[in-house]
Amino acid sequence: MSYAIDLAAVRSAHERIQRLIHRTAIATSQTVNQRTGLEVFFKPENTQKTGAFKIRGALNAVLHLQETNPDCKGVVTHSSGNHGQALSCAAQRGGMSCTVVVPENAPAVKAAAIKGYGAEVVYCKATPQSRQETCDELAAKRGLTAIPSYDHPDVMAGQGTISLELLDQVPDLDAILVPISGGGLASGVIMAAKSIRPSIKVFIVEPKEKMLEECLRSGERLWPNPPRMMNTIADGMRLQQPGLLTWPILRDMAEKSTIALEDEEIVAGMKFAFERMKLVVEPSGASTVAAVLSDRFQALAKEHGLKRVAVIISGGN
């Protein structure tokens, strides 16, 4: 089957962006290793430029756009925060205008950061439909190029560069834990990791209401329509449905078992990261910390004979 990206696309993305991003260092915790009985390697993208992994995909998309369409008038997107910050930063670096459609309930600190990179913020209702419609209207009216936060080949390939770094830093991993919203990060990480190391297992961490495990096991998109936002403390993971481009990769390559978390578990993961690892992480970023410490993952590790596990901390904004 043909997918939106492949390993070659991820490698090309890495060539474009590697001089402009941090190669985030691997962090370890003896406490985590003792509690889990595993060797755990954290990839802290909260220390990445703009405070999250999103700069990888945004930079790749903007740089590729400038290669293929040097006369582009500017870019537009919709985002609850991290992609908006990343695209604003990437556009500023590329010398082009950026407009970000932000839901009215987005954290004020994230909207302020978007403005800090020089982008225009346009507010909309807090529904997937309003976000997309407002973004489409602005693109048509102003002649801007839309760069979505997850369902875009260049964005997906950029996020996959995490796996290139990770498997260079820790080559003999058994598994990776990755969080999900629309699936840009998860699909990119999965495609690159499974292409380089076919035996590796990638487990997705999701909020309880997402229904991803049910959909993965059936191989079907069982989510109710229209798409909706979930009620979760992890504001970067509120979207219930993954994208149309990200879904086939998730369906075919991710492990069918997910780690689904309640808000209380995510908060506990944040607290652990703060107190024991000295890492400032947002709820979405803390989800994988909570997951690796969970009874659910302990059972999965035992079932699959896992010993060396990577945990992607997505951000800290």
Side-chain angles (χ1 to χ4, degrees):
M1 179 177 178
S2 177
Y3 300 104
I5 60 168
D6 56 16
L7 181 59
V10 178
R11 292 197 189 282
S12 293
H14 192 243
E15 286 298 312
R16 282 191 194 96
I17 70 174
Q18 61 179 329
R19 72 187 188 282
L20 300 173
I21 62 169
H22 296 314
R23 177 182 166 100
T24 49
I26 297 296
T28 59
S29 166
Q30 190 63 33
T31 302
V32 172
N33 290 352
Q34 290 173 347
R35 282 183 56 172
T36 62
L38 302 166
E39 286 186 87
V40 180
F41 304 89
F42 294 91
K43 184 72 166 162
E45 288 289 294
N46 57 305
T47 64
Q48 184 56 265
K49 291 184 177 180
T50 73
F53 73 94
K54 292 281 191 176
I55 190 64
R56 296 173 181 268
L59 268 173
N60 187 47
V62 166
L63 294 175
H64 195 199
L65 177 62
Q66 290 183 313
E67 291 170 13
T68 57
N69 184 11
D71 297 323
C72 173
K73 294 181 178 180
V75 292
V76 62
T77 194
H78 61 83
S79 168
S80 62
N82 283 342
H83 176 65
Q85 291 179 57
L87 189 64
S88 301
C89 178
Q92 185 182 63
R93 184 176 289 275
M96 64 171 61
S97 71
C98 179
T99 303
V100 182
V101 176
V102 175
E104 57 193 5
N105 65 346
V109 65
K110 293 189 177 183
I114 291 170
K115 294 176 183 178
Y117 288 113
E120 177 187 0
V121 170
V122 176
Y123 287 96
C124 70
K125 293 180 180 178
T127 67
Q129 293 81 6
S130 179
R131 288 167 62 146
Q132 190 61 58
E133 288 170 2
T134 306
C135 188
D136 291 344
E137 288 172 6
L138 288 167
K141 183 178 180 179
R142 302 181 183 181
L144 304 175
T145 299
I147 299 181
S149 60
Y150 56 90
D151 224 21
H152 187 290
D154 289 337
V155 172
M156 296 159 64
Q159 319 307 23
T161 60
I162 290 177
S163 286
L164 300 187
E165 292 180 10
L166 186 54
L167 288 171
D168 182 57
Q169 292 164 314
V170 193
D172 51 350
L173 287 171
D174 297 321
I176 300 173
L177 292 180
V178 61
I180 189 169
S181 183
L185 173 62
S187 62
V189 164
I190 290 168
M191 176 57 73
K194 296 288 283 187
S195 297
I196 295 169
R197 186 172 171 82
S199 65
I200 201 166
K201 298 182 182 300
V202 182
F203 294 91
I204 296 177
V205 179
E206 60 171 332
K208 275 285 188 182
E209 295 178 46
K210 194 170 182 73
M211 294 174 53
L212 182 63
E213 180 167 330
E214 183 180 352
C215 295
L216 290 174
R217 291 191 180 280
S218 70
E220 302 289 340
R221 296 181 67 95
L222 302 177
W223 296 281
N225 283 308
R228 71 180 187 91
M229 296 295 186
M230 298 176 292
N231 182 22
T232 171
I233 192 173
D235 61 278
M237 300 169 75
R238 285 180 178 156
L239 185 64
Q240 187 179 42
Q241 296 191 26
L244 298 178
L245 299 182
T246 63
W247 165 246
I249 297 172
L250 305 175
R251 178 194 63 207
D252 296 346
M253 298 186 185
E255 294 302 306
K256 305 305 180 189
S257 299
T258 69
I259 299 93
L261 300 173
E262 301 280 4
D263 278 0
E264 293 78 8
E265 295 173 286
I266 294 174
V267 171
M270 289 178 67
K271 184 178 180 181
F272 183 91
F274 294 159
E275 294 181 351
R276 304 306 297 269
M277 300 177 67
K278 311 309 176 189
L279 292 176
V280 178
V281 297
E282 61 187 278
S284 301
S287 66
T288 48
V289 178
V292 78
L293 295 171
S294 68
D295 292 340
R296 168 70 165 157
F297 186 68
Q298 295 308 298
L300 289 170
K302 185 175 181 180
E303 176 185 344
H304 294 283
L306 307 179
K307 294 181 180 179
R308 294 166 64 82
V309 176
V311 173
I312 296 174
I313 297 176
S314 59
N317 290 318

